[in-house]
Structures are given as structure tokens and as C-alpha cells.
């Protein structure tokens, strides 16, 4: 069940593109518990203190321990400024957690309609997305349901079938070209 009174917000990664500083600024004044996975820099620790955000920090988690953090959270905040893919979106979808992620780069393509999309460079946009998923139970449940559908796109059998179809298509074109 979703903890509306004090949601746990999971943040994966502390490199610059993970956008922790803006996330912290967006969370200032909200009654939340931020769970950060990754080693914090001095600057990030300062930002957390400056914005008075309550947090827990975990480093070098095993896969089972990371999975436990997904299960224990209410929201996954993954509004990165850049990602090659964005695996935490799919991981959150798989365990039925609501996702707030970026509206740029690969994240909209990975999340489709299974996440609340925000501008990662705009603190107000991030804050509005977080508040929306906390305050609107119908929207939140819609995102979770869409997440269970979205994650199916990334099942091994689905991906293997897509590759097989691609290879058949390339092979068929190759045969047509050679016959001409």
C-alpha cells in the first residue's frame, strides 16, 4: 500500500546525470523519506542538509538488497538529465511502483505511458510530478497498472521474438537483393 502521509522516494545513483541536487531541491518541505542508493559527495551531503530533506543512504547494495529497496519504496524518482536506457524505470514497473522520470532522452521511450514525465532541469516540474503521484491516487494506480503492461515489452521472450523477426526480415531482403 502507498504511504500517502510520508512516502518513501527511491533515488538510484549519485553521478551528475542522476540529478540528485535538483531532486533534493524539489523535495524540500515535503513530508517524505528519500532513499538514495549510491555514494554521496560532500556537495550532495551539503545540499541534503541545506534543503532539510530526510534521507537514508545505501552504498554497494547486493541485488537482493536493491530489490528490497524497490519493494519498500512508494515512488521511484528517476528524473535524470541523461540516460542511455534507464533500467530503474523498468525495475520499478516490474515491482508495481510508481515512477517519476524525465521527459527527455531515452526515458519517455522506456517508460511510455507508465510514468509521470517531468522536465529534469526544472525543480518546479519535478516537484509538481512528485506531488501529483502522491496526491492523486487514481493517477498513481493508473501508472502502476500501465507499468505492469510496460514491463512485458522487456521480457526476454519478447525481445528474442523481436530480434528473430528482424533477422528474418534482413535475411529475406538479402535474398531478394541477391536474386535481382
Amino acid at each position: 500500500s502507498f504511504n500517502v502521509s510520508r512516502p518513501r522516494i527511491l533515488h538510484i545513483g549519485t553521478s551528475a546525470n542522476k540529478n540528485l541536487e535538483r531532486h533534493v531541491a524539489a523535495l524540500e518541505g515535503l513530508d517524505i523519506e528519500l532513499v538514495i542508493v549510491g555514494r554521496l559527495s560532500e556537495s550532495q551531503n551539503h545540499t541534503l542538509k541545506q534543503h532539510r530533506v530526510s534521507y537514508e543512504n545505501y552504498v554497494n547494495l547486493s541485488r537482493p538488497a536493491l530489490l528490497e529497496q524497490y519493494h519498500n519504496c512508494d515512488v521511484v524518482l528517476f528524473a535524470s538529465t541523461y540516460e542511455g536506457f534507464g533500467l530503474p524505470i523498468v525495475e520499478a514497473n516490474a515491482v508495481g511502483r510508481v515512477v517519476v522520470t524525465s521527459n527527455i532522452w531515452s526515458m519517455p521511450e522506456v517508460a511510455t505511458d507508465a510514468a509521470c514525465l517531468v522536465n529534469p532541469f526544472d525543480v518546479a516540474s519535478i516537484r509538481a510530478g512528485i506531488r501529483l503521484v502522491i496526491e492523486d491516487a487514481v493517477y498513481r494506480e493508473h501508472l502502476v497498472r500501465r507499468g505492469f503492461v510496460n514491463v512485458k515489452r522487456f521480457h526476454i521472450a519478447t525481445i528474442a521474438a523481436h530480434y528473430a523477426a528482424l533477422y528474418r526480415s534482413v535475411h529475406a531482403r538479402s535474398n531478394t537483393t541477391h536474386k535481382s
Side-chain angles (χ1 to χ4, degrees):
S1 64
F2 192 92
N3 184 350
V4 176
S5 61
R6 188 172 170 85
R8 287 177 61 89
I9 299 177
L10 181 61
H11 176 96
I12 306 291
T14 56
S15 60
N17 65 302
K18 301 303 182 184
N19 211 18
L20 179 60
E21 287 83 355
R22 284 190 192 95
H23 292 175
V24 169
L27 296 171
E28 182 175 15
L30 298 179
D31 192 11
I32 56 91
E33 182 70 27
L34 180 61
V35 178
I36 304 164
V37 176
R39 190 167 314 281
L40 294 169
S41 68
E42 274 188 48
S43 171
Q44 290 168 331
N45 273 312
H46 175 74
T47 299
L48 285 156
K49 286 181 180 84
Q50 175 188 4
H51 291 284
R52 298 177 307 281
V53 171
S54 175
Y55 72 97
E56 298 172 10
N57 181 226
Y58 300 93
V59 179
N60 298 325
L61 291 180
S62 65
R63 285 184 184 272
L66 180 58
L67 179 59
E68 183 179 344
Q69 291 303 326
Y70 277 104
H71 282 288
N72 291 339
C73 79
D74 298 295
V75 177
V76 173
L77 177 54
F78 195 70
S80 298
T81 57
Y82 174 80
E83 290 294 328
F85 181 77
L87 190 58
I89 297 165
V90 179
E91 292 171 335
N93 288 163
V95 297
R97 295 304 176 263
V98 67
V99 178
V100 175
T101 194
S102 298
N103 62 2
I104 60 169
W105 302 109
S106 62
M107 285 146 301
E109 291 79 17
V110 172
T112 64
D113 60 351
C116 176
L117 301 179
V118 299
N119 179 341
F121 298 102
D122 182 358
V123 170
S125 177
I126 298 166
R127 184 178 181 87
I130 289 292
R131 290 190 61 158
L132 179 60
V133 300
I134 291 172
E135 296 169 3
D136 189 335
V138 172
Y139 177 63
R140 186 174 59 243
E141 289 305 314
H142 169 77
L143 293 179
V144 170
R145 280 193 311 276
R146 294 299 309 150
F148 287 128
V149 172
N150 186 48
V151 77
K152 292 176 184 176
R153 295 186 310 136
F154 303 100
H155 285 172
I156 291 171
T158 304
I159 292 171
H162 287 302
Y163 273 112
L166 176 65
Y167 293 148
R168 283 191 293 277
S169 170
V170 169
H171 180 71
R173 275 189 266 140
S174 175
N175 285 340
T176 304
T177 305
H178 292 302
K179 291 177 182 178
S180 302

